[in-house]
Every structure is written in structure tokens, then in C-alpha cells.
Amino acid sequence: MPIPGTTKLAHLDENLRAAELTLSADEVRELESAVAKVGIAGDRYPAAQQRQVEG
């Protein structure tokens, strides 16, 4: 997934090339399984900024 706000041209190029990536069904399942094990705690931003994001 491209990361908006990148400051380096090489990173932008890398992000754009990621859109061409093709994963097999097994690779997708493996990634989904790994992500499902990650716990998420707290907000990404301080409260005032989080309200702006949720807008």
C-alpha cells in the first residue's frame, strides 16, 4: 500500500511499483493470518488530531 506524504523520490517510486505486485491466494492467506495476530491499542493520533481525522 502506498504511503502518502513520502518525502523521497525513491520511496515514491517503490510505493508506485507496489501496485504492480501480484500475490497468490496462499500468500494472501498467510498475510491475513499474520495481520490477524497483531493487536491494536490506542489511537494513531493525539485526541485533537484524531477528531479531525474522524471528521
Side-chain angles (χ1 to χ4, degrees):
M1 162 185 276
I3 301 170
T6 188
T7 59
K8 306 240 185 271
L9 187 56
H11 292 167
L12 176 60
D13 182 55
E14 184 179 74
N15 291 341
L16 291 172
R17 284 186 285 119
E20 300 170 5
L21 181 67
T22 302
L23 299 174
S24 70
D26 286 339
E27 291 169 322
V28 171
R29 277 191 294 277
E30 184 177 347
L31 288 170
E32 288 175 341
S33 175
V35 168
K37 296 174 186 172
V38 175
I40 298 174
D43 292 324
R44 180 174 181 176
Y45 303 107
Q49 289 177 334
Q50 186 67 33
R51 285 191 295 276
Q52 291 175 336
V53 171
E54 294 170 352

